[in-house]
Amino acid sequence: QVQLVESGGGLVQAGGSLRLSCAAPGRTFRSYNLGWFRQAPGKEREFVAAISWSGGWIWYADAVKGRFTISTDLAKNMLYLVMNSLQPEDTAVYYCSAGTTATMASTGYDYWGQGTRVTVSS
């Protein structure tokens, strides 16, 4: 079953930028709460950022505040994560998610992508 699909990951040098995208084949993001999570090698999945579809609320993890920006495009039914000033510590597989509950906990989301890998070199 295909749920969500992430794209935009890759290899970037420290200080560089990437834009991650998330699509929802066969479904709409409308009225959902949307989130980005990441999982580094050997570590548990952690919260990165979340947004309501309407943009009424936005949350960021402390580690990415001021560097990452989460946004939506209603017309394209897309979710984005713009990552600036990337550091080696940002290296991880990034996952997008959607759910009906506004939360920073991964257990609160119902739909997930397979992840897109981001590698930041020093």
Side-chain angles (χ1 to χ4, degrees), residues 36-78:
W36 286 97
F37 293 78
R38 67 186 183 185
Q39 187 166 20
K43 296 185 178 296
E44 296 182 353
R45 188 170 299 186
E46 66 175 347
F47 171 79
V48 175
I51 187 173
S52 62
W53 179 247
S54 65
W57 58 266
I58 301 175
W59 291 337
Y60 292 100
D62 289 341
V64 306
K65 286 181 179 178
R67 299 189 298 121
F68 291 11
T69 302
I70 187 172
S71 64
T72 61
D73 187 326
L74 187 151
K76 296 182 178 180
N77 198 46
M78 295 286 289

